[in-house]
Amino acid sequence: MSETIVAQAAGLFRQAAGQGRNALDAGELKTLLAGLGLAFDAAAPAGAADIRISLNSTREFGMVISAGLGGLEAELDEGNFRRDRASVYAAAALTDARDFLGLFKRTLAWQKLAAIAKRDGAASPDAALEACFAQLLALAKAFAPENPDATFVLQALELNPLRADAALTAGGAACSFAPPQPGRLPRPIAKIDKLIHPKRIGLIGVSGSGMNFGRIILRNLMGSGYPKEQLLVLKPGETEIDGVKCVEGLKAIDGKLDLLIVAVAASAVYELVDEIIASDAVEAVMLIPGSMGETKKSREPAAQLAARINAAHGKAGGGPIFLGANCLGVVSHPGAYDSWFIPLERLPKPKKKPVRDSVMLSQSGAFMITRLSQNPWLDPAYMLALGNQTDLTH
C-alpha cells in the first residue's frame, strides 16, 4: 500500500514539474488524496471537529509530521492552548503511525473526535487516522531531503480542514515539492569532542585596548578555570593580552588548535573562514558574529559560505567543524571552559554540584540565558548555543 502511494506521488510530481509547476493542482491533489485513502470534498460543510494534518520539510529536523485542530480554530488554539494540546509534532524519521496516533491522542482535537463518536454511537476514527499517518510517513520517508534516491523533495503537504469519522474527508489540501538539492557531505562529527573538550583554544578578535566581545570571552575562559598556557590569541602586533600569548595569525600557530573562537565583524568572517580551511590548523571553529544569513542581503553570502564549509568536509580529515554563526558560545564543565560573551559578573555560573547529567542545546542563546536566570538551580554539564547552524545542527 505504501509503495503504491509513493509511486503515485512521484508520477504526480513529474507531471506537475513537466508543466513548470512546483505544486499540485486540484485534480492532482484529488488523485493523491484518493491514494492516501481520503475523500476530497471542498464543498462539504464544516464539521464539529475539523482537524489539520501536515508534513513539512525542515532544515533542522528533516520531515516533520504534525496534527491538531483545523479550520478556523487552528490559529486561535495554537496561541491559547499549552504545548501538545492544540497540535503535536514529530520528526517523521523518529516515529511511526501507532506512536504518532498516541501523541495525537493528547490533543483537544482527538478528544473532540472521540467525544463525538461516543455521542453518536459511531466507530472510533482511530483506525482511519492511523492508516492515514502510515501513508503520510511513507511519503515523508520517500521524499525526504536526506533520501539519496528521492527524485523530488516534498516541501509541504497540508490537509486542512480534515473531517474525521469512520472515514476521512479533506475539505482543503495543498502540496508543494522541489527538485532534490545536493546533499551535505558527512561531517567529521568526532571533532565535536574537540569543540567541547578542547586542549588548546585560540581566539581571533580580542581587543588589546578595550573591552569587546573577544576580550570578554578571553576573560570568561580564564575566569572559568581554563589554563592560560593552553590559550592563544591571534593578534598582529601584540605579544600578550591579559597574560595570554599572542601570535600574528594562523600561519604563526605552532601545531594545531582544537578550537578557534572567531569574534570579528561579520564582514571579515567570509575571507577568514577560507583562510581557516586552507590552513588545516584548526579542528573546530566557533563563529560568534551575527548578521550572517539573518538579513536578506546576507543570505546569499551566508549560503555560499556554508557551501564552502561543506566542500571542505570532502578533504582528507574532513576539514574543521563550525558552530554558529550568530552563536552565544559554549559552556562545558567537563571541558573546563566558558566561552559565552556575557561577563561572568552579569550571569554567574557557579559550580553547584560535582556530577551533572543534563545538556542544554538551543539555537537561541537568549533562550538559554532566560532559562538560567529564571531557574538558578539549573546546572547542565554542557550548554551549547548553535546560532544559524551553518555547519553543525541540532
Side-chain angles (χ1 to χ4, degrees), residues 56-129:
N56 287 281
S57 176
T58 71
R59 184 184 68 166
E60 293 81 7
F61 305 107
M63 296 298 298
V64 171
I65 184 170
S66 65
L69 284 166
L72 294 175
E73 294 182 307
E75 290 187 19
L76 291 173
D77 290 338
E78 281 287 344
N80 287 286
F81 284 98
R82 65 188 176 92
R83 186 170 41 193
D84 81 1
R85 291 299 182 264
S87 298
V88 289
Y89 300 80
L94 301 177
T95 191
D96 60 29
R98 183 177 294 275
D99 283 344
F100 191 68
L101 176 61
L103 196 64
F104 181 57
K105 285 185 176 182
R106 299 178 185 179
T107 65
L108 178 64
W110 181 84
Q111 291 169 19
K112 279 188 172 184
L113 294 176
I116 292 168
K118 182 178 179 180
R119 180 197 66 191
D120 297 344
S124 165
D126 286 4
L129 286 167

Side-chain angles (χ1 to χ4, degrees), residues 8 30 90 105-106 113 134 151 168-169 237 251 256 266 280 285 313 322 324 326 334 349 353 365:
Q8 188 176 61
K30 191 169 184 179
K105 285 185 176 182
R106 299 178 185 179
L113 294 176
T151 52
L168 303 180
T169 301
K251 293 180 180 178
K256 274 200 172 190
D280 199 31
V285 183
H313 293 324
F322 288 78
N326 192 21
K349 296 182 280 294
K353 49 194 172 186

Side-chain angles (χ1 to χ4, degrees), residues 2 5 23 52 54 77 84 97 111 121 145 159 161 211 226 237 271 273 291 299 319-320 367 379 381 389:
S2 296
I5 186 60
R52 171 198 52 78
S54 63
D77 290 338
D84 81 1
Q111 291 169 19
L159 311 174
M211 191 54 62
Y226 196 83
E271 185 177 344
V273 164
S291 301
R299 281 174 196 154
F367 172 87
D379 190 28
Q389 303 178 84

Side-chain angles (χ1 to χ4, degrees), residues 276-296:
I276 291 168
I277 291 170
S279 73
D280 199 31
V282 180
E283 301 283 26
V285 183
M286 192 182 297
L287 297 176
I288 303 297
S291 301
M292 296 178 62
E294 297 109 66
T295 63
K296 186 175 181 179

Side-chain angles (χ1 to χ4, degrees), residues 27-45:
E28 291 160 347
L29 279 169
K30 191 169 184 179
T31 302
L32 180 66
L33 296 185
L36 291 169
L38 308 177
F40 184 47
D41 184 0

